[in-house]
Amino acid sequence: MENHTDKALSSVSGGSALNCIDLSNPNLHELVFLLKQACLDSGFFYVINHGISQEFMDEVFAQSKMFFGLKTEDKMKLLRNEKHRGYTPILDEVLDPDNQVEGDYKEGYYIGVEFSEDDPHSEKPFYGPNIWPSEDLLPGWRHTMEKYHQEALRVATAVARIIALALDLNDDFFDKPEMLGEPIATLRLLHYEGRVSSPTDGIYGAGAHSDYGLITLLATDDVVGLQICKVKDAQPQLWEYIPPLKGAFIVNLGDMLERWSNGVFRSTLHRVLVNGQERYSIAFFVEPNHECLVECLPTCKSETNPPKFPPVTCATYLTQRYRDTHVDLNKYQKT
C-alpha cells in the first residue's frame, strides 16, 4: 500500500514560499511591508540574521538530543507538573482529537520564566521554578537552556516591534510590562521519534492546531515535517510543507494576535507529519503577562468592522487551551 506521507515528502520542493524578515536590514519600511504581506497571506515567515550564532544553535540542539537520549525512567523523573514545566512523554498531547486516534507521536520538555517558590509570582499558573535535570546527569544543560530562553525572547521582542508597526501601532506597543515586558515565554524542546505519520489512519507527529499566544519562534533540524493550512475552514483542507531554512527561525502568529487584530492577522493551522526519520525542533512560545487583557486593538476596529472576539485575560485563555490539549497528570500516577 502506498504511503501518502512518503509521497508528499518526496515532492516537498513544492512547499510554500515564505517571506524572509532580515533583522539586520536597516530599511524598516521594507521589513514592515514584508511582514505585513506574510501575516495577511499565511501567518508564517522566516526570520534571519537574528543575532543567535549557528554555533550556539547547534549546541542547543546537541543538548536537546542528549536529554531525549536518556533512559525513559530518567526522563519520567522530570515529568511535567501543573505549571507545565518539565518532560512530556509521547502521546501526552492531543492537539487534534477529532482526527487523531491517540495523541501526538512526539516527546517534549517545557522550560518557562524562572521564579523561585517563595516569589509571589510563582502562585500564577505559568510562573514558578523550572524542573531541571541534575548537573551530574546533563552537565551545563540548564545554563545552555537559560541562555537560549533569554536570546529567543530578545529576537521575539524585535519581531513584535515590527508587528506593532504593521498594525499601525507604536513600535513599543508590545514592550509594556503587562505584555512582553513581563511575558509568559515558554521554551519547548521537541523530539519526534520517527513513527510514520498517516493522516488517513489518524497518526500524526503533531496534530493540526493553531498556537495560543502572540508569536512562536521555531528552530528545526533539516528533516522536513511541518505543514501549514492557510485557510482553516477550507474543505478539503490544503496542506503545504514549510521547508527548513538553515539558521532561520520559522515564525508564526498565535490566536491572541488574531484576537488583538480582529482577524486581520490570522493564526494559522499547522501540523507535523513524520516520514520515519527522527526529527528535532525547538519552539519558543511568546505570550503576554497573565493579567493582560487581550481585546481588539483600536487600529483594527471601526463602525463597519466591530470586534469579533470578546476580551479575555491571557491567563484564562492559556489555562483553558492547555487543559484542552494535555493528558490529565493523574494518568501517570502509579496504581
Side-chain angles (χ1 to χ4, degrees):
M1 187 173 128
E2 184 183 36
N3 183 281
H4 297 291
T5 305
D6 289 340
K7 183 179 179 183
L9 287 170
S10 68
S11 62
V12 73
S13 58
S16 185
L18 300 183
N19 281 354
C20 275
I21 306 302
D22 182 347
L23 292 185
S24 68
N25 184 354
N27 188 338
L28 193 56
H29 290 294
E30 183 180 359
L31 289 180
V32 171
F33 173 79
L34 289 171
L35 182 140
K36 189 169 187 175
Q37 191 180 55
C39 291
L40 293 172
D41 174 52
S42 67
F44 271 75
F45 50 91
Y46 296 115
V47 168
I48 60 174
N49 294 323
H50 42 66
I52 302 178
S53 72
Q54 189 60 51
E55 182 182 29
F56 182 57
M57 291 298 302
D58 291 343
E59 174 64 20
V60 177
F61 272 95
Q63 294 276 15
S64 175
K65 289 179 183 179
M66 287 175 67
F67 171 78
F68 290 119
L70 295 174
K71 296 176 182 176
T72 300
E73 54 264 37
D74 288 330
K75 291 185 285 191
M76 289 302 289
K77 290 174 186 174
L78 300 162
L79 182 68
R80 69 174 170 89
N81 58 21
E82 70 285 348
K83 298 278 192 175
H84 295 284
R85 307 297 176 91
Y87 176 61
T88 56
I90 288 168
L91 305 181
D92 180 78
E93 199 171 7
V94 188
L95 290 169
D96 186 10
D98 290 342
N99 293 300
Q100 288 179 272
V101 292
E102 295 183 282
D104 290 3
Y105 280 92
K106 69 176 191 292
E107 55 182 341
Y109 202 93
Y110 281 118
I111 301 166
V113 179
E114 182 79 30
F115 284 100
S116 64
E117 284 185 352
D118 56 1
D119 190 308
H121 283 299
S122 68
E123 297 173 10
K124 298 175 181 176
F126 297 94
Y127 281 173
N130 282 298
I131 298 173
W132 297 109
S134 70
E135 281 293 310
D136 292 339
L137 192 64
L138 292 174
W141 198 87
R142 174 176 179 171
H143 174 75
T144 298
M145 296 306 162
E146 287 187 323
K147 181 182 175 185
Y148 183 77
H149 191 286
Q150 186 178 20
E151 287 291 295
L153 184 57
R154 174 187 58 77
V155 176
T157 302
V159 173
R161 288 178 181 143
I162 303 171
I163 290 174
L165 291 171
L167 289 169
D168 297 320
L169 302 163
N170 292 332
D171 64 350
D172 62 352
F173 179 83
F174 293 111
D175 293 351
K176 302 180 183 78
E178 67 271 22
M179 293 188 190
L180 300 190
E182 297 176 5
I184 301 169
T186 304
L187 166 61
R188 193 177 189 195
L189 310 174
L190 293 165
H191 172 227
Y192 297 85
E193 58 170 8
R195 172 73 184 266
V196 176
S197 298
S198 174
T200 53
D201 298 319
I203 298 171
Y204 298 86
H209 65 287
S210 55
D211 290 345
Y212 314 149
L214 177 63
I215 56 172
T216 302
L217 272 58
L218 181 72
T220 73
D221 61 13
D222 58 2
V223 178
V224 173
L226 176 66
Q227 289 186 320
I228 67 170
C229 175
K230 291 182 183 179
V231 184
K232 294 178 193 175
D233 303 325
Q235 291 297 335
Q237 290 176 330
L238 176 64
W239 291 95
E240 304 172 67
Y241 278 98
I242 300 297
L245 183 63
K246 184 77 169 176
F249 282 114
I250 300 169
V251 179
N252 64 280
L253 313 181
D255 297 334
M256 287 188 200
L257 187 56
E258 179 169 319
R259 297 174 79 99
W260 256 320
S261 70
N262 208 21
V264 174
F265 289 174
R266 301 179 312 278
S267 59
T268 305
L269 211 57
H270 55 286
R271 66 186 187 185
V272 174
L273 298 189
V274 180
N275 70 344
Q277 289 178 280
E278 279 189 291
R279 181 176 181 269
Y280 293 87
S281 64
I282 301 170
F284 189 72
F285 302 105
V286 183
E287 287 111 11
N289 192 277
H290 292 78
E291 287 77 31
C292 181
L293 188 66
V294 180
E295 59 182 338
C296 184
L297 296 167
T299 56
C300 297
K301 61 184 177 182
S302 65
E303 284 186 16
T304 56
N305 186 29
K308 297 178 176 67
F309 306 95
V312 64
T313 64
C314 178
T316 300
Y317 187 75
L318 279 185
T319 299
Q320 187 59 53
R321 292 297 297 271
Y322 272 81
R323 191 176 291 138
D324 289 344
T325 53
H326 286 72
V327 166
D328 191 315
L329 282 169
N330 290 325
K331 172 193 171 185
Y332 301 110
Q333 301 300 320
K334 291 181 180 177
T335 54

